[in-house]
Amino acid sequence: MSRGEVMHSPDDTPEPVIHCRGLKKSFGTGKARVPALNGLDLDVHAGELLMLVGPSGCGKTTFLSVLSSLMQADTGSCRVLGRDILAMPAAQQTGFRRDALGFVFQAFNLIEALSAVENVAVPLRIAGTARKIALQRAAAMLEDVGISRLHGLPGSMSGGQQQRIAIARALVTMPSLILCDEPTSNLDHDNGQKVMALLRARARAQGSTVVLVTHDARIFHYADRLVTMEDGRLTGAPENEGGSPLL
C-alpha cells in the first residue's frame, strides 16, 4: 500500500480515514485510576476538517496521542489511514508518523536554535530529503504561509508568526492526516482567524484530512464537522448561544 492510501471495503465504499470503536484509556491505578477515554467511537472521512471540542481534561489530547500512535489505548479498535494502529509494532510507529502525519502543537514546539526555514525543513530531513532540497521546499512553504523572514529565529517572532511556521512544518511533507492540538489558544482573534483560514486552505489544496481539538468557539465556523467530547466520550454537536446545533 502506498503512503497515505486508504483501504476500500468490498462494496468499494471508501473506508474512513479514521475508524475508532470503543477506545478506552486510563491513567493511574487502583482508586487513583482516572479514565481519559471511555468508549470513544468516531469516523473521520477523507478531506474533512473535523473539530473536536470540549472542556479541558475531557480526553481530547489523549485521543490525538492515540491517533498518532504516540500512546496505546487500553482497549478498543482504531484504524488510521488503513492501518490498525493499536496492533502496529513499535518499530513501525515512527515511520508511520514520519510518512503519513503532520502535527500542529499547542506550544508550537519550534527548535529555538534553528531558523524558521530550518525548523520547517526538519521533517523533510528526517524523511531523508537532501538538505538543499529540504531547505528549498521549506522556504517555498514558508512563503505560502506568509513568512518572509526565512532565517529569523523563532524567539524574535510574534506568536502568530511562530504558529505559521508550525503550520508550515506540519504541511511541508504533504501528509495525509494533520493533527492539531489547540492551534489558536496562544493567538489573538485576528491571528487565530488568519491561521485557521490558512490551515484549511492549505489542507484542502493538498487533499489532507484534519482533526483539530479546541475549546475556542471563535474558530468553529472553519470546521466541516464539529463533535463535542465530555468525560472521554463523544456527546454530539456543540450548540450556539441560541441553543441550536452549530453543524
Side-chain angles (χ1 to χ4, degrees):
M1 182 179 295
S2 62
R3 180 173 72 89
E5 181 181 351
V6 179
M7 293 178 62
H8 289 71
S9 59
D11 64 359
D12 205 33
T13 300
E15 179 183 353
V17 169
I18 296 169
H19 177 73
C20 298
R21 292 293 181 269
L23 284 184
K24 293 187 177 182
K25 177 67 179 179
S26 297
F27 298 99
T29 59
K31 293 182 179 180
R33 191 174 180 84
V34 177
L37 301 178
N38 193 19
L40 184 146
D41 299 333
L42 180 65
D43 285 348
V44 182
H45 298 279
E48 272 197 292
L49 193 163
L50 180 136
M51 286 189 190
L52 183 58
V53 304
S56 297
C58 72
K60 301 189 303 294
T61 296
T62 298
F63 181 51
L64 284 191
S65 297
V66 170
L67 287 181
S68 64
S69 76
L70 288 169
M71 183 182 294
Q72 276 290 104
D74 297 329
T75 59
S77 63
C78 193
R79 294 184 66 82
V80 178
L81 297 167
R83 303 286 298 277
D84 183 349
I85 60 170
L86 303 188
M88 187 183 297
Q92 296 179 15
Q93 292 174 352
T94 299
F96 172 71
R97 290 189 292 269
R98 178 195 65 213
D99 296 337
L101 305 184
F103 297 83
V104 180
F105 298 97
Q106 179 177 358
F108 310 143
N109 286 1
L110 301 176
I111 301 172
E112 291 296 330
L114 299 183
S115 67
V117 69
E118 289 169 334
N119 266 282
V120 175
V122 165
L124 292 170
R125 296 289 290 140
I126 291 173
T129 305
R131 175 178 171 80
K132 181 177 180 180
I133 295 174
L135 290 173
Q136 289 173 343
R137 289 177 59 183
M141 181 59 69
L142 281 171
E143 291 175 2
D144 283 348
V145 302
I147 296 293
S148 58
R149 295 175 56 197
L150 302 184
H151 301 289
L153 295 178
S156 68
M157 299 186 182
S158 68
Q161 290 172 323
Q162 291 183 52
Q163 190 64 293
R164 286 170 180 261
I165 296 170
I167 289 174
R169 181 183 58 191
L171 292 170
V172 72
T173 59
M174 300 188 72
S176 298
L177 177 62
I178 301 169
L179 304 176
C180 306
D181 190 4
E182 303 281 4
T184 61
S185 63
N186 295 309
L187 304 179
D188 59 28
H189 179 270
D190 287 345
N191 277 317
Q193 298 299 307
K194 291 176 182 177
V195 160
M196 281 307 307
L198 172 65
L199 177 61
R200 185 174 67 175
R202 291 300 309 177
R204 287 181 173 173
Q206 294 182 183
S208 301
T209 301
V210 180
V211 177
L212 185 153
V213 301
T214 187
H215 60 270
D216 186 355
R218 301 172 302 175
I219 64 171
F220 285 175
H221 60 285
Y222 287 101
D224 296 313
R225 182 161 56 107
L226 297 98
V227 292
T228 56
M229 188 170 183
E230 187 172 353
D231 297 329
R233 292 184 178 181
L234 302 186
T235 60
E239 297 183 344
N240 62 25
E241 293 180 357
S244 59
L246 282 169
L247 292 180

PDB file of all heavy atoms in Angstrom, residues 162-191:
ATOM      1  N   GLN A 162       5.102  32.494  14.705  1.00  0.00           N
ATOM      2  CA  GLN A 162       5.561  31.181  15.136  1.00  0.00           C
ATOM      3  C   GLN A 162       4.536  30.100  14.802  1.00  0.00           C
ATOM      4  O   GLN A 162       4.906  28.992  14.394  1.00  0.00           O
ATOM      5  CB  GLN A 162       5.847  31.186  16.632  1.00  0.00           C
ATOM      6  CG  GLN A 162       7.058  32.016  17.020  1.00  0.00           C
ATOM      7  CD  GLN A 162       7.350  31.934  18.501  1.00  0.00           C
ATOM      8  OE1 GLN A 162       7.455  30.854  19.074  1.00  0.00           O
ATOM      9  NE2 GLN A 162       7.478  33.091  19.144  1.00  0.00           N
ATOM     10  N   GLN A 163       3.253  30.416  14.958  1.00  0.00           N
ATOM     11  CA  GLN A 163       2.237  29.427  14.637  1.00  0.00           C
ATOM     12  C   GLN A 163       2.207  29.133  13.141  1.00  0.00           C
ATOM     13  O   GLN A 163       1.986  27.995  12.722  1.00  0.00           O
ATOM     14  CB  GLN A 163       0.866  29.892  15.120  1.00  0.00           C
ATOM     15  CG  GLN A 163      -0.215  28.819  15.052  1.00  0.00           C
ATOM     16  CD  GLN A 163       0.064  27.645  15.956  1.00  0.00           C
ATOM     17  OE1 GLN A 163       1.009  26.886  15.734  1.00  0.00           O
ATOM     18  NE2 GLN A 163      -0.759  27.479  16.969  1.00  0.00           N
ATOM     19  N   ARG A 164       2.446  30.150  12.316  1.00  0.00           N
ATOM     20  CA  ARG A 164       2.514  29.926  10.874  1.00  0.00           C
ATOM     21  C   ARG A 164       3.699  29.030  10.515  1.00  0.00           C
ATOM     22  O   ARG A 164       3.608  28.186   9.617  1.00  0.00           O
ATOM     23  CB  ARG A 164       2.614  31.261  10.129  1.00  0.00           C
ATOM     24  CG  ARG A 164       1.304  32.030  10.101  1.00  0.00           C
ATOM     25  CD  ARG A 164       1.494  33.447   9.579  1.00  0.00           C
ATOM     26  NE  ARG A 164       0.229  34.154   9.557  1.00  0.00           N
ATOM     27  CZ  ARG A 164      -0.530  34.306   8.471  1.00  0.00           C
ATOM     28  NH1 ARG A 164      -0.137  33.797   7.321  1.00  0.00           N
ATOM     29  NH2 ARG A 164      -1.667  34.950   8.538  1.00  0.00           N
ATOM     30  N   ILE A 165       4.804  29.208  11.216  1.00  0.00           N
ATOM     31  CA  ILE A 165       5.953  28.331  10.995  1.00  0.00           C
ATOM     32  C   ILE A 165       5.585  26.900  11.379  1.00  0.00           C
ATOM     33  O   ILE A 165       5.917  25.936  10.668  1.00  0.00           O
ATOM     34  CB  ILE A 165       7.170  28.816  11.811  1.00  0.00           C
ATOM     35  CG1 ILE A 165       7.621  30.200  11.322  1.00  0.00           C
ATOM     36  CG2 ILE A 165       8.328  27.809  11.695  1.00  0.00           C
ATOM     37  CD1 ILE A 165       8.654  30.859  12.224  1.00  0.00           C
ATOM     38  N   ALA A 166       4.884  26.750  12.506  1.00  0.00           N
ATOM     39  CA  ALA A 166       4.469  25.415  12.951  1.00  0.00           C
ATOM     40  C   ALA A 166       3.534  24.765  11.935  1.00  0.00           C
ATOM     41  O   ALA A 166       3.614  23.552  11.686  1.00  0.00           O
ATOM     42  CB  ALA A 166       3.787  25.510  14.318  1.00  0.00           C
ATOM     43  N   ILE A 167       2.642  25.545  11.353  1.00  0.00           N
ATOM     44  CA  ILE A 167       1.740  25.009  10.334  1.00  0.00           C
ATOM     45  C   ILE A 167       2.522  24.631   9.081  1.00  0.00           C
ATOM     46  O   ILE A 167       2.293  23.575   8.476  1.00  0.00           O
ATOM     47  CB  ILE A 167       0.633  26.021  10.022  1.00  0.00           C
ATOM     48  CG1 ILE A 167      -0.342  26.115  11.206  1.00  0.00           C
ATOM     49  CG2 ILE A 167      -0.123  25.638   8.751  1.00  0.00           C
ATOM     50  CD1 ILE A 167      -1.382  27.193  11.057  1.00  0.00           C
ATOM     51  N   ALA A 168       3.461  25.473   8.673  1.00  0.00           N
ATOM     52  CA  ALA A 168       4.294  25.148   7.509  1.00  0.00           C
ATOM     53  C   ALA A 168       5.050  23.847   7.734  1.00  0.00           C
ATOM     54  O   ALA A 168       5.157  23.012   6.833  1.00  0.00           O
ATOM     55  CB  ALA A 168       5.266  26.288   7.234  1.00  0.00           C
ATOM     56  N   ARG A 169       5.566  23.662   8.940  1.00  0.00           N
ATOM     57  CA  ARG A 169       6.293  22.425   9.261  1.00  0.00           C
ATOM     58  C   ARG A 169       5.362  21.205   9.161  1.00  0.00           C
ATOM     59  O   ARG A 169       5.768  20.143   8.686  1.00  0.00           O
ATOM     60  CB  ARG A 169       6.880  22.522  10.667  1.00  0.00           C
ATOM     61  CG  ARG A 169       7.679  21.306  11.108  1.00  0.00           C
ATOM     62  CD  ARG A 169       8.159  21.459  12.537  1.00  0.00           C
ATOM     63  NE  ARG A 169       7.043  21.669  13.460  1.00  0.00           N
ATOM     64  CZ  ARG A 169       7.177  22.042  14.727  1.00  0.00           C
ATOM     65  NH1 ARG A 169       8.393  22.246  15.227  1.00  0.00           N
ATOM     66  NH2 ARG A 169       6.125  22.210  15.488  1.00  0.00           N
ATOM     67  N   ALA A 170       4.111  21.363   9.611  1.00  0.00           N
ATOM     68  CA  ALA A 170       3.160  20.249   9.566  1.00  0.00           C
ATOM     69  C   ALA A 170       2.753  19.907   8.135  1.00  0.00           C
ATOM     70  O   ALA A 170       2.436  18.763   7.835  1.00  0.00           O
ATOM     71  CB  ALA A 170       1.925  20.588  10.398  1.00  0.00           C
ATOM     72  N   LEU A 171       2.744  20.900   7.257  1.00  0.00           N
ATOM     73  CA  LEU A 171       2.253  20.709   5.901  1.00  0.00           C
ATOM     74  C   LEU A 171       3.335  20.356   4.889  1.00  0.00           C
ATOM     75  O   LEU A 171       3.026  19.854   3.808  1.00  0.00           O
ATOM     76  CB  LEU A 171       1.549  21.986   5.433  1.00  0.00           C
ATOM     77  CG  LEU A 171       0.243  22.358   6.120  1.00  0.00           C
ATOM     78  CD1 LEU A 171      -0.179  23.756   5.706  1.00  0.00           C
ATOM     79  CD2 LEU A 171      -0.848  21.365   5.793  1.00  0.00           C
ATOM     80  N   VAL A 172       4.594  20.587   5.221  1.00  0.00           N
ATOM     81  CA  VAL A 172       5.649  20.563   4.205  1.00  0.00           C
ATOM     82  C   VAL A 172       5.850  19.177   3.595  1.00  0.00           C
ATOM     83  O   VAL A 172       6.275  19.057   2.439  1.00  0.00           O
ATOM     84  CB  VAL A 172       6.976  21.105   4.791  1.00  0.00           C
ATOM     85  CG1 VAL A 172       7.604  20.111   5.767  1.00  0.00           C
ATOM     86  CG2 VAL A 172       7.946  21.490   3.685  1.00  0.00           C
ATOM     87  N   THR A 173       5.544  18.119   4.324  1.00  0.00           N
ATOM     88  CA  THR A 173       5.685  16.770   3.772  1.00  0.00           C
ATOM     89  C   THR A 173       4.431  16.317   3.039  1.00  0.00           C
ATOM     90  O   THR A 173       4.372  15.167   2.581  1.00  0.00           O
ATOM     91  CB  THR A 173       6.011  15.759   4.880  1.00  0.00           C
ATOM     92  OG1 THR A 173       4.957  15.775   5.852  1.00  0.00           O
ATOM     93  CG2 THR A 173       7.341  16.082   5.558  1.00  0.00           C
ATOM     94  N   MET A 174       3.430  17.188   2.930  1.00  0.00           N
ATOM     95  CA  MET A 174       2.151  16.870   2.304  1.00  0.00           C
ATOM     96  C   MET A 174       1.531  15.619   2.934  1.00  0.00           C
ATOM     97  O   MET A 174       1.204  14.641   2.256  1.00  0.00           O
ATOM     98  CB  MET A 174       2.302  16.707   0.793  1.00  0.00           C
ATOM     99  CG  MET A 174       2.819  17.952   0.103  1.00  0.00           C
ATOM    100  SD  MET A 174       2.799  17.845  -1.706  1.00  0.00           S
ATOM    101  CE  MET A 174       1.037  17.944  -2.018  1.00  0.00           C
ATOM    102  N   PRO A 175       1.333  15.630   4.252  1.00  0.00           N
ATOM    103  CA  PRO A 175       0.825  14.441   4.945  1.00  0.00           C
ATOM    104  C   PRO A 175      -0.636  14.177   4.614  1.00  0.00           C
ATOM    105  O   PRO A 175      -1.389  15.084   4.261  1.00  0.00           O
ATOM    106  CB  PRO A 175       0.981  14.810   6.428  1.00  0.00           C
ATOM    107  CG  PRO A 175       0.837  16.299   6.441  1.00  0.00           C
ATOM    108  CD  PRO A 175       1.515  16.763   5.176  1.00  0.00           C
ATOM    109  N   SER A 176      -1.027  12.930   4.752  1.00  0.00           N
ATOM    110  CA  SER A 176      -2.426  12.566   4.522  1.00  0.00           C
ATOM    111  C   SER A 176      -3.321  13.006   5.666  1.00  0.00           C
ATOM    112  O   SER A 176      -4.503  13.278   5.467  1.00  0.00           O
ATOM    113  CB  SER A 176      -2.538  11.048   4.335  1.00  0.00           C
ATOM    114  OG  SER A 176      -1.805  10.630   3.217  1.00  0.00           O
ATOM    115  N   LEU A 177      -2.771  13.068   6.873  1.00  0.00           N
ATOM    116  CA  LEU A 177      -3.548  13.412   8.061  1.00  0.00           C
ATOM    117  C   LEU A 177      -2.788  14.442   8.880  1.00  0.00           C
ATOM    118  O   LEU A 177      -1.598  14.262   9.173  1.00  0.00           O
ATOM    119  CB  LEU A 177      -3.803  12.156   8.907  1.00  0.00           C
ATOM    120  CG  LEU A 177      -4.542  12.338  10.231  1.00  0.00           C
ATOM    121  CD1 LEU A 177      -5.947  12.891   9.999  1.00  0.00           C
ATOM    122  CD2 LEU A 177      -4.600  11.018  10.994  1.00  0.00           C
ATOM    123  N   ILE A 178      -3.481  15.523   9.249  1.00  0.00           N
ATOM    124  CA  ILE A 178      -2.899  16.579  10.077  1.00  0.00           C
ATOM    125  C   ILE A 178      -3.644  16.612  11.400  1.00  0.00           C
ATOM    126  O   ILE A 178      -4.869  16.704  11.437  1.00  0.00           O
ATOM    127  CB  ILE A 178      -2.992  17.946   9.383  1.00  0.00           C
ATOM    128  CG1 ILE A 178      -2.271  17.913   8.032  1.00  0.00           C
ATOM    129  CG2 ILE A 178      -2.393  19.041  10.270  1.00  0.00           C
ATOM    130  CD1 ILE A 178      -2.555  19.141   7.168  1.00  0.00           C
ATOM    131  N   LEU A 179      -2.903  16.541  12.505  1.00  0.00           N
ATOM    132  CA  LEU A 179      -3.465  16.573  13.850  1.00  0.00           C
ATOM    133  C   LEU A 179      -3.061  17.878  14.513  1.00  0.00           C
ATOM    134  O   LEU A 179      -1.871  18.232  14.525  1.00  0.00           O
ATOM    135  CB  LEU A 179      -2.960  15.385  14.671  1.00  0.00           C
ATOM    136  CG  LEU A 179      -3.211  13.996  14.062  1.00  0.00           C
ATOM    137  CD1 LEU A 179      -2.569  12.924  14.935  1.00  0.00           C
ATOM    138  CD2 LEU A 179      -4.698  13.735  13.895  1.00  0.00           C
ATOM    139  N   CYS A 180      -4.040  18.593  15.055  1.00  0.00           N
ATOM    140  CA  CYS A 180      -3.787  19.916  15.632  1.00  0.00           C
ATOM    141  C   CYS A 180      -4.292  19.958  17.063  1.00  0.00           C
ATOM    142  O   CYS A 180      -5.463  19.657  17.323  1.00  0.00           O
ATOM    143  CB  CYS A 180      -4.504  21.006  14.835  1.00  0.00           C
ATOM    144  SG  CYS A 180      -4.154  21.015  13.070  1.00  0.00           S
ATOM    145  N   ASP A 181      -3.446  20.368  17.984  1.00  0.00           N
ATOM    146  CA  ASP A 181      -3.813  20.462  19.394  1.00  0.00           C
ATOM    147  C   ASP A 181      -3.879  21.935  19.790  1.00  0.00           C
ATOM    148  O   ASP A 181      -2.852  22.582  19.967  1.00  0.00           O
ATOM    149  CB  ASP A 181      -2.787  19.723  20.250  1.00  0.00           C
ATOM    150  CG  ASP A 181      -3.233  19.582  21.700  1.00  0.00           C
ATOM    151  OD1 ASP A 181      -4.367  19.983  22.020  1.00  0.00           O
ATOM    152  OD2 ASP A 181      -2.444  19.067  22.516  1.00  0.00           O
ATOM    153  N   GLU A 182      -5.102  22.447  19.913  1.00  0.00           N
ATOM    154  CA  GLU A 182      -5.334  23.834  20.337  1.00  0.00           C
ATOM    155  C   GLU A 182      -4.471  24.830  19.556  1.00  0.00           C
ATOM    156  O   GLU A 182      -3.714  25.611  20.140  1.00  0.00           O
ATOM    157  CB  GLU A 182      -5.057  23.974  21.840  1.00  0.00           C
ATOM    158  CG  GLU A 182      -5.857  23.049  22.730  1.00  0.00           C
ATOM    159  CD  GLU A 182      -7.284  23.533  22.965  1.00  0.00           C
ATOM    160  OE1 GLU A 182      -7.662  24.548  22.361  1.00  0.00           O
ATOM    161  OE2 GLU A 182      -8.001  22.883  23.737  1.00  0.00           O
ATOM    162  N   PRO A 183      -4.562  24.850  18.234  1.00  0.00           N
ATOM    163  CA  PRO A 183      -3.633  25.672  17.447  1.00  0.00           C
ATOM    164  C   PRO A 183      -3.841  27.175  17.580  1.00  0.00           C
ATOM    165  O   PRO A 183      -2.978  27.939  17.154  1.00  0.00           O
ATOM    166  CB  PRO A 183      -3.913  25.214  16.009  1.00  0.00           C
ATOM    167  CG  PRO A 183      -5.334  24.759  16.039  1.00  0.00           C
ATOM    168  CD  PRO A 183      -5.498  24.109  17.383  1.00  0.00           C
ATOM    169  N   THR A 184      -4.962  27.619  18.148  1.00  0.00           N
ATOM    170  CA  THR A 184      -5.208  29.061  18.269  1.00  0.00           C
ATOM    171  C   THR A 184      -5.218  29.540  19.716  1.00  0.00           C
ATOM    172  O   THR A 184      -5.492  30.713  19.971  1.00  0.00           O
ATOM    173  CB  THR A 184      -6.544  29.442  17.623  1.00  0.00           C
ATOM    174  OG1 THR A 184      -7.624  28.755  18.295  1.00  0.00           O
ATOM    175  CG2 THR A 184      -6.566  29.081  16.152  1.00  0.00           C
ATOM    176  N   SER A 185      -4.908  28.667  20.663  1.00  0.00           N
ATOM    177  CA  SER A 185      -5.060  29.037  22.076  1.00  0.00           C
ATOM    178  C   SER A 185      -4.100  30.138  22.505  1.00  0.00           C
ATOM    179  O   SER A 185      -4.364  30.863  23.454  1.00  0.00           O
ATOM    180  CB  SER A 185      -4.863  27.809  22.968  1.00  0.00           C
ATOM    181  OG  SER A 185      -3.548  27.297  22.827  1.00  0.00           O
ATOM    182  N   ASN A 186      -2.969  30.277  21.804  1.00  0.00           N
ATOM    183  CA  ASN A 186      -1.985  31.303  22.158  1.00  0.00           C
ATOM    184  C   ASN A 186      -2.071  32.542  21.268  1.00  0.00           C
ATOM    185  O   ASN A 186      -1.182  33.393  21.320  1.00  0.00           O
ATOM    186  CB  ASN A 186      -0.574  30.714  22.054  1.00  0.00           C
ATOM    187  CG  ASN A 186      -0.324  29.616  23.069  1.00  0.00           C
ATOM    188  OD1 ASN A 186      -0.557  29.801  24.252  1.00  0.00           O
ATOM    189  ND2 ASN A 186       0.125  28.465  22.602  1.00  0.00           N
ATOM    190  N   LEU A 187      -3.141  32.617  20.469  1.00  0.00           N
ATOM    191  CA  LEU A 187      -3.241  33.693  19.490  1.00  0.00           C
ATOM    192  C   LEU A 187      -4.414  34.629  19.793  1.00  0.00           C
ATOM    193  O   LEU A 187      -5.437  34.202  20.334  1.00  0.00           O
ATOM    194  CB  LEU A 187      -3.421  33.102  18.083  1.00  0.00           C
ATOM    195  CG  LEU A 187      -2.352  32.114  17.618  1.00  0.00           C
ATOM    196  CD1 LEU A 187      -2.677  31.603  16.225  1.00  0.00           C
ATOM    197  CD2 LEU A 187      -0.974  32.772  17.627  1.00  0.00           C
ATOM    198  N   ASP A 188      -4.256  35.905  19.391  1.00  0.00           N
ATOM    199  CA  ASP A 188      -5.384  36.820  19.500  1.00  0.00           C
ATOM    200  C   ASP A 188      -6.389  36.509  18.393  1.00  0.00           C
ATOM    201  O   ASP A 188      -6.157  35.639  17.536  1.00  0.00           O
ATOM    202  CB  ASP A 188      -4.919  38.281  19.434  1.00  0.00           C
ATOM    203  CG  ASP A 188      -4.186  38.632  18.138  1.00  0.00           C
ATOM    204  OD1 ASP A 188      -4.467  37.999  17.092  1.00  0.00           O
ATOM    205  OD2 ASP A 188      -3.348  39.544  18.159  1.00  0.00           O
ATOM    206  N   HIS A 189      -7.513  37.209  18.395  1.00  0.00           N
ATOM    207  CA  HIS A 189      -8.599  36.885  17.470  1.00  0.00           C
ATOM    208  C   HIS A 189      -8.151  36.954  16.019  1.00  0.00           C
ATOM    209  O   HIS A 189      -8.386  36.017  15.231  1.00  0.00           O
ATOM    210  CB  HIS A 189      -9.778  37.833  17.690  1.00  0.00           C
ATOM    211  CG  HIS A 189     -10.920  37.579  16.763  1.00  0.00           C
ATOM    212  ND1 HIS A 189     -11.020  38.200  15.528  1.00  0.00           N
ATOM    213  CD2 HIS A 189     -11.996  36.766  16.860  1.00  0.00           C
ATOM    214  CE1 HIS A 189     -12.110  37.778  14.914  1.00  0.00           C
ATOM    215  NE2 HIS A 189     -12.722  36.914  15.694  1.00  0.00           N
ATOM    216  N   ASP A 190      -7.519  38.059  15.630  1.00  0.00           N
ATOM    217  CA  ASP A 190      -7.154  38.239  14.225  1.00  0.00           C
ATOM    218  C   ASP A 190      -6.164  37.178  13.756  1.00  0.00           C
ATOM    219  O   ASP A 190      -6.328  36.583  12.675  1.00  0.00           O
ATOM    220  CB  ASP A 190      -6.557  39.632  14.002  1.00  0.00           C
ATOM    221  CG  ASP A 190      -7.627  40.717  14.069  1.00  0.00           C
ATOM    222  OD1 ASP A 190      -8.825  40.385  14.010  1.00  0.00           O
ATOM    223  OD2 ASP A 190      -7.255  41.892  14.188  1.00  0.00           O
ATOM    224  N   ASN A 191      -5.132  36.926  14.571  1.00  0.00           N
ATOM    225  CA  ASN A 191      -4.153  35.917  14.178  1.00  0.00           C
ATOM    226  C   ASN A 191      -4.761  34.524  14.179  1.00  0.00           C
ATOM    227  O   ASN A 191      -4.416  33.689  13.338  1.00  0.00           O
ATOM    228  CB  ASN A 191      -2.937  35.958  15.111  1.00  0.00           C
ATOM    229  CG  ASN A 191      -1.933  37.020  14.713  1.00  0.00           C
ATOM    230  OD1 ASN A 191      -1.637  37.190  13.541  1.00  0.00           O
ATOM    231  ND2 ASN A 191      -1.437  37.762  15.685  1.00  0.00           N
TER     232      ASN A 191
END
